[in-house]
Amino acid sequence: MTATANPPIGRVTLVTLTSLVAMGPLSTDFYLPALPSIAKYFNVAEAHAQATLSAFLIGFAGAILIYGPLSDRFGRRPVLAGGIVIFTLASLGCMLSDSIGMLVLFRFLQALGACAGPVISRAMVRDLVGASGAARVFSYLSAAVALAPAIAPIIGGFLADAFGWRACFAALTLYGAGGLVAVFVVLKETNTQRDMTAANPLNWFRIYGELVKHRGYFGYVLAATFGYSGIFCFISGSSFVFIDVLGVPPRYFGFCFGVFVIGYIIGATSGGKLSKQLSASQLVGLGSVIALLSALALVVINLIAPASVWTVLAPLLPYMVGVGMTLPAAQAGAIGPFPRSAGAASALLGFVQMAVAAGIGAILGLIGSPSPMPMTLMIAGTGVAQIACYWWIIQPEDALGRSEPA
């Protein structure tokens, strides 16, 4: 397309879309420092407080499968606005919850709304700049997704420490209200060619069925899923480990979380540079080896040394380098062979990632322990599963040259 057909996105529009893409990770990570406080406030076990995370992932995973087709059929802006309304009202419901069951329910509803931000914002970028310009803009959006988990727990920790856990959801309510205003003031409808059949569920099932039958796609999806599950083990268990077990004040928890995120940024950046010399399969293999060795070191160190902040964080930094290298390569390997159904391939990948991670997070919550060991063992388990997917599925398919769908 010509430059006239696809003008650059204005700065205000880009900032708005970036903020909406970050809605998912912000909703997850903003209240992490408050999880122990929530468990104590409602007088429930860790597992019940961690269920608010799993409920969010389940809702987010389900919504991924429907927002894209709905926006193809009815337009980007109305569907995006509807999602943000749901997010804002559910965030308010979280803030006002008077039982852990009510909080879990509103977290599920919050996820249904939050998912509209990243899914539809990415679609709007494709509408605005086309395929050739999308890669550059997506780099900005990816940076927001990577930085949000580093910043959100720091702000959330100070809010929870100063005003209590409800303040975190009050801030998310205001975030949603601001996003809704921005949708109507800043964003214009970008879907000029509506697909009248896009909302037909029969079409969804047909495409998803074809994807699942593709062995290479399935292998990459599983590798990405177990990498993301390792991340979610830390997200789900870290606040209890650092705050309750290791005695880190909530206001400083975000800095511990930031070390974890820095590892991911290093891995993703390194993977991007190495992608000029290595294939997606090779990057997944390299990242999986780094992640597994680091996860095993994490377990060994915490078995032989007294638990401390650094016995947990030091091995997790290189672990996240490996995962940061693996995830983007696995996503590219999964979606690349399907140019005509890239949206469906991406949606199904996201659904499997979050559904499995929610289940693993729930198991971690049920285990519970006054030590870092359950979290470290679960992370190591996902590392083993991740490299198994590479050796048993991805590498054999790559050796046979089956990079195209059957």
Side-chain angles (χ1 to χ4, degrees), residues 4 7 17 56 67 98 113 146 148 158 162 165 174 226 323 333 358 367 371:
T4 303
L17 292 174
F56 185 91
Y67 271 119
D98 57 8
F158 278 98
W165 63 268
L174 294 175
F226 287 117
V323 173
I367 294 173
S371 81

Side-chain angles (χ1 to χ4, degrees), residues 25-79:
L26 282 176
S27 302
T28 300
D29 302 329
F30 200 80
Y31 85 120
L32 286 181
L35 274 178
S37 299
I38 290 172
K40 292 173 183 175
Y41 181 87
F42 291 116
N43 193 27
V44 296
E46 288 181 17
H48 293 91
Q50 288 171 327
T52 62
L53 280 170
S54 296
F56 185 91
L57 276 196
I58 292 170
F60 204 94
I64 281 176
L65 297 175
I66 62 173
Y67 271 119
L70 287 179
S71 71
D72 288 340
R73 170 62 181 86
F74 299 106
R76 313 291 187 213
R77 204 165 73 147
V79 178

Side-chain angles (χ1 to χ4, degrees), residues 86-178:
I86 295 172
F87 171 83
T88 305
L89 293 177
S91 297
L92 181 62
C94 290
M95 183 185 74
L96 300 176
S97 293
D98 57 8
S99 70
I100 193 66
M102 184 178 293
L103 181 58
V104 170
L105 172 62
F106 278 117
R107 281 288 289 169
F108 176 81
L109 296 175
Q110 187 187 43
L112 296 183
C115 187
V119 170
I120 299 180
S121 293
R122 290 188 175 102
M124 295 182 85
V125 169
R126 289 195 297 272
D127 294 339
L128 290 168
V129 301
S132 60
R136 177 183 59 83
V137 179
F138 281 157
S139 67
Y140 294 111
L141 303 186
S142 297
V145 173
L147 289 175
I151 298 172
I154 295 175
I155 300 174
F158 278 98
L159 280 177
D161 208 35
F163 304 106
W165 63 268
R166 296 183 191 274
C168 297
F169 293 108
L172 289 173
T173 302
L174 294 175
Y175 189 86

Side-chain angles (χ1 to χ4, degrees), residues 14-24 26 121 141 144 175:
L14 181 60
V15 169
T16 300
L17 292 174
T18 302
S19 300
L20 295 176
V21 168
M23 185 173 286
L26 282 176
S121 293
L141 303 186
Y175 189 86

Side-chain angles (χ1 to χ4, degrees), residues 166-193:
R166 296 183 191 274
C168 297
F169 293 108
L172 289 173
T173 302
L174 294 175
Y175 189 86
L180 185 62
V181 172
V183 167
F184 289 107
V185 174
V186 177
L187 301 181
K188 301 183 183 301
E189 179 57 56
T190 61
N191 183 4
T192 58
Q193 297 179 338

Side-chain angles (χ1 to χ4, degrees), residues 57-58 60-65 208 211-212 217-229 232 327 331 334 344-360 389:
L57 276 196
I58 292 170
F60 204 94
I64 281 176
L65 297 175
Y208 293 145
L211 290 169
V212 170
Y217 174 80
F218 194 64
Y220 281 116
V221 166
L222 288 180
T225 295
F226 287 117
Y228 183 78
S229 295
F232 191 69
L327 274 182
Q331 291 165 358
S346 177
L348 184 59
L349 186 153
F351 171 79
V352 175
Q353 273 190 167
M354 295 200 171
V356 172
I360 290 176
C389 293

